Amino acid sequence: YAPPHKHLPLSLSANIPQQYLTAGVLDRLDLHIVPVLLGGGARLFDNTDGRQAAYECIRIINSPLVSHYKYRLKQQSRAD
């Protein structure tokens, strides 16, 4: 649990962020993607009931080793 407007790091598994997305409790999402193939992996936006559509990408930073994506909840979604 994180107090309102606090950073809560979620990592290692797609399952935990999926639960937060489905519950609708995230107002911002920072993704750091490293293109390394380690196995089957899990898709972050599977099992989220389409909640990812409520977010807009506000920043992308790319390098050969990592990509950083910052998403925030769209304005009309905040009123729900």
Side-chain angles (χ1 to χ4, degrees):
Y1 170 77
H5 308 292
K6 297 293 180 181
H7 180 73
L8 177 64
L10 304 171
S11 60
L12 300 177
S13 168
N15 183 271
I16 301 298
Q18 285 173 351
Q19 291 178 40
Y20 278 81
L21 278 168
T22 302
V25 296
L26 297 176
D27 60 357
R28 194 180 84 195
L29 184 62
D30 296 329
L31 298 178
H32 310 284
I33 300 173
V34 179
V36 176
L37 183 61
L38 298 175
R43 295 170 157 252
L44 177 61
F45 296 122
D46 281 355
N47 307 313
T48 60
D49 298 328
R51 295 285 179 124
Q52 68 273 16
Y55 295 84
E56 61 184 339
C57 186
I58 58 171
R59 183 172 60 184
I60 299 172
I61 300 172
N62 289 314
S63 79
L65 302 176
V66 63
S67 294
H68 306 277
Y69 299 86
K70 181 174 282 198
Y71 294 86
R72 71 174 170 209
L73 200 56
K74 293 178 186 175
Q75 290 294 337
Q76 68 270 20
S77 298
R78 293 180 183 173
D80 296 339

